[in-house]
Amino acid sequence: MNLLDLFAIPLQETPAKPALRFRTEEGGTLDLSYAELSVAARRIAAGFAARGVQPGDRVAFFLGNRPEFVTSLLALFHLGAALVPINLAYRRREIAHMLGDASPRLLLTERSQLPFLEELEEAEKAGVEIVLAEDLAAWPADAPLAPARPDGGDLALLLYTSGTTGKSKGAMISHDNVLATVTGLLAAWAWEADDALLLTLPLFHTHGLVVGLCTALAAGATVLLRRRFEAPAAVADLGGGEPTLFFGVPTMYVRLVEELRRGEVPAGLARMRLFCSGSAPLAPETFIAFRELTGHAILERYGMTETGMNLSNPYAGERLPGTVGTPLPGVSARLEESGELLVRGSNVFSGYWQAPEKTAESFVHDELGRRWFRTGDLASRDPATGVFTLLGRRHELILSGGFNVYPREIEEVLTSFPGVREAAVVGRKHPEWGEVPMAFLVTEGEIDVSALITFCKARIAGFKVPRMFQVIETLPRNALGKVQKHLLPGG
Ligand code: MCA
Ligand code: AMP
């Protein structure tokens, strides 16, 4: 079975039902039924094929939330091609790396993003043909299409995830991997065709793409797609009575709590049946404040780009703040002696794109020869209830507003700035973002910090640019010369 087979179930049963209801920038509504979505996907697939896309190819999207993201994704599945989504906050260095590594056949973008692509040099664009989402509507409706039938094991998504090495790696996610997460969530969260998901998360990461979009389409539900998250608009939507589900990162819940405290809590919130949080730790204070305001206990779950969803608090049963619940259907989880959490299941990816060594390092084999993925997250398990709690990470990952920030990548950019001899980046707690990066610098003479910030912003995503800088004499190092970040001021 592939993902199109899964989405074909509601297509056959409820073809006229809205699959997607998109709020346009002008505030209008654009509806696409399951049947219309399918027709548009086949038309775009024919256009992609005419531009050379073949089974096994990759196509990059540098695209905000809009209906063409969804129709074009389904088009790729018709062709047996895989999606490489690029975070819209990424800048030259990050985009060039992904294009060079994934060598996509096409890059689908939208007019407003072209200036960021123009920052790339010709060689960095790797000869990729650019297609504009705004032009897709004019592609012919009657072009011939010879659909491929991807196998479950074929690549569906190539998802770049920041690495400890400073360069991101492409996690190879097959149709089967997505199917495993989706079918697990359909059961665990009691999805129904009557559900309507308010989706304000970006579609370029697993949370919005797989947990949100793919699961909703498999359920035969309606996706209320928004261009972006804005707390006042989200509160109005949630109170409006149309959505039944909302998925967010903790920063979104922090902002929803602030917004709800500013005004009246809309009565329509009572229609909501489930609020979920993930991608970063939800502070128990946020869980409690949200429950006091709305009566809803946020369901926290835990996943990764490489694995899809692994653990979840119960749908029916007590949701414990500060914990991430028990394994989803079909997922096995266990703890190493070091406390590192290992997972296995059909949801777990096969490896990193063209990186067999990094793949090998990410798995361990047990006494029965079975392969377990090393999450890098440290956890504990309550022996009585089996409930997992995340305790920290083995690596230096910083989680800012649900986006991953790896210090090494930022340090490389900082030390390429004239006058910065050494740099060490660490995460510091922040009430809204959870954590933000802070940089310690060893410099030659005075440096202009605002010029350094501009330098960083041209190269890496804004959320990776350190919020605080401190110049110090030397970096604390151990006898082996390794920087001891916990000894930095404020650590
Ligand atoms: C935006 N800014 C941020 C972040 N986002 N700073 C720190 N951390 C962030 N996450 C900065 C921008 O650089 C900019 O600053 C300023 O905020 C305004 O940018 P804007 O884009 O307008 O911000 P926003 O719309 O308010 O964004 C906040 C947000 C967004 C909606 C919470 O960060 C977001 O959509 N987060 C969701 C991330 C997500 O989907 N993660 C899932 C990964 P300046 O102008 O100075 O540059 S998948 C995953 O983790 C796994 C699988 C899982 O378990 O889900
Ligand atoms: P990513 O590589 O973007 O998929 O991010 C995966 C990481 O996000 C995990 O390894 C965790 O560190 C973190 N994460 C996801 N969900 C949660 C959660 N509910 N609580 C704490 N951390 C989380």
Side-chain angles (χ1 to χ4, degrees), residues 180-439:
T181 282
V182 164
T183 50
L185 294 182
L186 285 175
W189 296 349
W191 272 87
E192 289 174 14
D194 285 342
D195 276 318
L197 171 69
L198 179 63
L199 189 54
T200 65
L201 285 157
L203 289 173
F204 44 69
H205 284 305
T206 299
H207 199 165
L209 183 66
V210 174
V211 184
L213 178 71
C214 291
T215 312
L217 292 183
T222 300
V223 178
L224 309 170
L225 184 67
R226 299 294 179 259
R227 184 73 188 163
R228 61 177 63 84
F229 174 81
E230 270 152 343
V235 168
D237 279 332
L238 292 169
E242 200 179 7
T244 60
L245 300 163
F246 176 81
F247 299 165
V249 298
T251 299
M252 293 178 176
Y253 285 103
V254 169
R255 291 189 183 174
L256 286 175
V257 164
E258 280 171 7
E259 185 61 28
L260 289 166
R261 281 186 176 147
R262 261 196 286 273
E264 250 174 56
V265 177
L269 268 176
R271 177 171 142 82
M272 287 293 295
R273 79 168 176 88
L274 185 60
F275 287 90
C276 293
S277 176
S279 310
L282 180 73
E285 305 86 79
T286 309
F287 175 98
I288 291 163
F290 194 81
R291 189 172 53 188
E292 279 171 1
L293 284 160
T294 67
H296 288 283
I298 300 168
L299 184 158
E300 184 168 6
R301 56 62 181 175
Y302 159 79
M304 285 187 82
T305 299
E306 289 91 335
T307 64
M309 295 304 106
N310 297 312
L311 306 171
S312 171
N313 266 279
Y315 179 68
E318 196 187 354
R319 300 169 196 163
L320 296 172
T323 75
V324 286
T326 53
L328 281 158
V331 180
S332 299
R334 69 189 244 182
L335 294 173
E336 289 254 272
E337 265 177 38
S338 63
E340 182 171 0
L341 178 64
L342 308 181
V343 294
R344 71 187 289 272
S346 305
N347 55 313
V348 176
F349 78 142
S350 56
Y352 296 108
W353 178 250
Q354 293 176 339
E357 282 170 18
K358 285 180 191 150
T359 301
E361 286 164 15
S362 317
F363 289 93
V364 287
H365 290 88
D366 66 13
E367 54 289 354
L368 299 173
R370 300 175 308 183
R371 215 167 73 130
W372 293 79
F373 178 64
R374 309 181 61 176
T375 63
D377 289 306
L378 304 173
S380 65
R381 182 175 171 275
D382 184 318
T385 59
V387 168
F388 284 86
T389 300
L390 296 177
L391 301 172
R393 289 177 295 268
R394 215 164 52 87
H395 306 300
E396 294 176 357
L397 173 67
I398 300 167
L399 287 167
S400 174
F403 286 141
N404 284 6
V405 181
Y406 270 97
R408 174 76 183 271
E409 184 187 7
I410 308 167
E411 288 158 5
E412 283 176 15
V413 174
L414 292 171
T415 49
S416 66
F417 185 76
V420 176
R421 205 161 354 119
E422 289 181 298
V425 171
V426 292
R428 289 287 181 255
K429 281 209 180 322
H430 190 277
E432 183 182 8
W433 299 115
E435 292 175 306
V436 288
M438 170 171 189

Side-chain angles (χ1 to χ4, degrees), residues 116-127:
F116 303 113
L117 295 174
E118 279 157 11
E119 288 170 5
L120 274 76
E121 295 187 359
E122 274 317 308
E124 290 174 329
K125 286 187 196 148

